Amino acid sequence: MFLLLDANHAILLVICLIAACAFEFINGFHDAANAVATVIYTNSLKPRVAVILSGIFNFIGTMTGGIAVAMAIVNLLPVEALVDQNINHGIAMVLGILLSAIFWNFLTWYLGIPCSSSHTLIGSILGVGIAYYLLPDSQGMAVNWGKVGDIGLSLLISPIFGFSATIFLMYLLKRLTKKDKLFKEPPKNTPPSLGIRSLLILSCTSVSFFHGSNDGQKGVGLVMLILIGIVPAYFALNPDVELKQFNKPINELSLIIENANLEEFGLEDKKTLQETLKVTYKLDSITHTASLASAIPEENRFLVRSELINVNQNLKDITSRYPEQFSNKELATIKSSLSELKPFTEYSPIWVLVMISTSIGLGTMIGWKRIVVTIGEKIGKQHLTYAQGASAEMVAATTIGLSSAFGLPVSTTHVLSSGIAGSMVASKGLKNLNNNTIKNIALAWVLTLPVVIFLSASLFLLFRWISDLL
């Protein structure tokens, strides 16, 4: 891919990829430290063993967690709106996102505040999209607000669920077991019984695995934004997809649009359908002579990607507004055809997965201590008990795992921190919370989005201005 770039742009691409790895590295010791806090503070594992185990399971989670969350990140920002023939504009987008996200993540880690890497990355992406709209020659809002709404709801509900579910689980444990030692401060330097220890280690590895499958995938999505933004001719399409899988759904969509009674649609939607039909013809003509996506001429690959995404969005919008104009069979065909086209634009090379998995795994093993101390000692006024640690981590693992399955980014930090807070409340009520720590976490939660949105928007506009001067 470097052969497609001149020396300066190739160097910038390498710098951006290193910066993306740095973001995931910081994410590792920022977020994944949450997973090991409970096993360390309950003496279930020595710190060194705990962080190595957590790092390994973060690596595995990122490698095997699919790309649904990664694509949710990519689809937040329609990169097609920001990228044009000037490659420097793509670099401005990437640097604006990366530098603002890394700065805020590192600052909150240094202060020992459990801040969400998810909020940080998503805020940075939103900032760039909003800033693009402020440019004089912009073609419209470069933010997928529908996807923003879904992700925002997920980020808001998940900590509330973590807090409530942990209180409920603690209540069940108190009712179902008579083992008082579960609810008392663990003896210093003394590991728990085999059963309790096994449960805590299982919950730790589960949180680590699902953290990798969710937060690691955010890094994958970030790298794909970088690659599509800087080297669109090479990464706009999945080069390994066979085009015989492409022509069938495209032709099915063309046939449905051809048979639609356009007079039944509003004027704008009628124009949209006509344009969409032309696009499907164009896509078929570009691709019908090639066997693999990699055989499509380089100058056409980004065009194919952009048009595919437009077709997908147009048909989803129109079928949601006019479902009565299509038969159930046609609606099912549209849904299945659009799904069959996804692998062309939603993918990640294996080397990206390996690079991000390694970064988050190594980060987990190195910089964990600051956040672990906050989680283990400062959220509540008592030392973390076995029951609190197990309850919070079981709820966190379940919440993050379900979110990954549905392709929704959530904050490991907020889910686990709220779970720990819930366990403290379940033990001795609200008076058991450390108000100063809770205020700091809440302040970071409130400030993260506006700060990184402002930072990334400012950096993006600055870099675009500089690139246009060059």
Side-chain angles (χ1 to χ4, degrees):
M1 64 178 169
F2 293 106
L3 297 178
L4 300 175
L5 302 171
D6 60 39
N8 291 334
H9 288 138
I11 291 171
L12 281 171
L13 175 59
V14 171
I15 291 172
C16 289
L17 291 176
I18 292 172
C21 290
F23 173 81
E24 279 307 309
F25 183 84
I26 296 171
N27 185 7
F29 63 67
H30 199 302
D31 279 18
N34 295 285
V36 299
T38 54
V39 289
I40 292 173
Y41 273 87
T42 56
N43 304 311
S44 298
L45 287 175
K46 296 293 184 183
R48 181 171 296 179
V49 176
V51 295
I52 291 175
L53 185 66
S54 181
I56 291 171
F57 274 87
N58 267 281
F59 179 93
I60 296 171
T62 306
M63 286 296 296
T64 62
I67 60 168
V69 174
M71 290 304 105
I73 294 298
V74 172
N75 293 333
L76 265 178
L77 185 69
V79 69
E80 294 74 21
L82 280 77
V83 177
D84 50 33
Q85 297 303 312
N86 188 343
I87 194 173
N88 293 323
H89 291 174
I91 292 172
M93 171 193 73
V94 168
L95 289 177
I97 293 171
L98 284 171
L99 294 180
S100 55
I102 289 172
F103 168 78
W104 188 248
N105 252 11
F106 188 82
L107 177 64
T108 51
W109 166 82
Y110 182 78
L111 296 174
I113 300 172
C115 176
S116 169
S117 297
S118 303
H119 275 97
T120 303
L121 178 58
I122 290 166
S124 297
I125 292 172
L126 289 180
V128 167
I130 293 169
Y132 178 81
Y133 183 66
L134 301 177
L135 295 173
D137 55 347
S138 69
Q139 300 300 310
M141 186 67 74
V143 174
N144 186 342
W145 289 110
K147 182 61 69 175
V148 170
D150 292 341
I151 292 174
L153 192 61
S154 171
L155 290 172
L156 179 63
I157 290 175
S158 54
I160 297 173
F161 176 80
F163 181 82
S164 306
T166 305
I167 292 176
F168 178 71
L169 191 54
M170 285 284 290
Y171 172 78
L172 283 182
L173 284 175
K174 287 181 179 179
R175 293 295 299 268
L176 298 176
T177 181
K178 302 300 182 183
K179 294 182 178 180
D180 290 339
K181 65 180 181 180
L182 285 175
F183 305 96
K184 293 182 178 179
E185 180 177 331
K188 288 185 177 180
N189 302 318
T190 303
S193 65
L194 180 62
I196 296 173
R197 191 180 187 190
S198 299
L199 178 62
L200 287 163
I201 293 173
L202 176 63
S203 64
C204 164
T205 53
S206 297
V207 171
S208 300
F209 175 83
F210 288 120
H211 176 268
S213 71
N214 198 282
D215 276 50
Q217 288 302 313
K218 295 164 194 166
V220 173
L222 179 58
V223 171
M224 292 311 297
L225 274 177
I226 292 170
L227 296 176
I228 295 168
I230 297 179
V231 202
Y234 197 85
F235 290 100
L237 297 175
N238 184 348
D240 299 322
V241 174
E242 294 183 1
L243 289 179
K244 63 182 179 182
Q245 299 172 238
F246 180 92
N247 298 114
K248 176 178 172 291
I250 279 292
N251 290 330
E252 287 178 341
L253 293 175
S254 298
L255 186 61
I256 290 173
I257 299 172
E258 285 174 353
N259 292 333
N261 184 0
L262 296 183
E263 300 306 319
E264 298 295 328
F265 296 86
L267 181 60
E268 289 302 317
D269 290 315
K270 178 180 178 181
K271 290 180 180 178
T272 298
L273 276 174
Q274 290 171 331
E275 289 300 319
T276 303
L277 183 60
K278 292 177 183 177
V279 168
T280 60
Y281 291 154
K282 183 197 300 183
L283 290 173
D284 186 56
S285 67
I286 290 174
T287 60
H288 79 280
T289 58
S291 57
L292 294 173
S294 58
I296 296 174
E298 291 177 3
E299 64 273 15
N300 287 335
R301 291 177 194 170
F302 193 72
L303 171 65
V304 170
R305 175 188 176 85
S306 301
E307 298 291 25
L308 272 176
I309 291 173
N310 287 334
V311 167
N312 181 76
Q313 193 59 53
N314 290 345
L315 289 178
K316 281 185 175 180
D317 289 346
I318 286 175
T319 52
S320 67
R321 286 197 292 270
Y322 298 93
E324 71 281 357
Q325 299 302 325
F326 302 91
S327 67
N328 290 335
K329 183 179 179 181
E330 286 176 328
L331 289 172
T333 300
I334 290 172
K335 184 177 180 179
S336 63
S337 295
L338 293 178
S339 180
E340 289 175 40
L341 293 172
K342 278 187 177 182
F344 287 85
T345 57
E346 298 189 0
Y347 79 104
S348 175
I350 187 67
W351 65 266
V352 173
L353 293 174
V354 172
M355 182 176 71
I356 294 301
S357 300
T358 303
S359 299
I360 197 169
L362 290 175
T364 305
M365 299 179 192
I366 292 173
W368 52 274
K369 192 169 184 179
R370 288 178 183 269
I371 307 300
V372 164
V373 170
T374 299
I375 295 294
E377 297 181 10
K378 297 182 180 179
I379 288 181
K381 294 180 180 178
Q382 68 177 86
H383 194 289
L384 201 66
T385 67
Y386 300 132
Q388 290 171 334
S391 298
E393 292 222 318
M394 287 163 55
V395 168
T398 303
T399 304
I400 300 165
L402 288 173
S403 299
S404 297
F406 287 102
L408 293 171
V410 292
S411 166
T412 301
T413 299
H414 291 161
V415 172
L416 190 60
S417 297
S418 62
I420 297 290
S423 73
M424 294 291 174
V425 171
S427 295
K428 295 182 180 179
L430 290 172
K431 65 182 181 181
N432 199 30
L433 292 177
N434 187 327
N435 291 333
N436 287 335
T437 301
I438 298 300
K439 285 178 183 177
N440 286 338
I441 294 174
L443 186 62
W445 195 90
V446 171
L447 287 179
T448 293
L449 280 180
V451 169
V452 295
I453 285 174
F454 176 78
L455 276 175
S456 64
S458 301
L459 289 172
F460 171 69
L461 293 174
L462 174 64
F463 292 137
R464 282 277 298 215
W465 176 72
I466 292 173
S467 71
D468 288 337
L469 292 179
L470 297 178

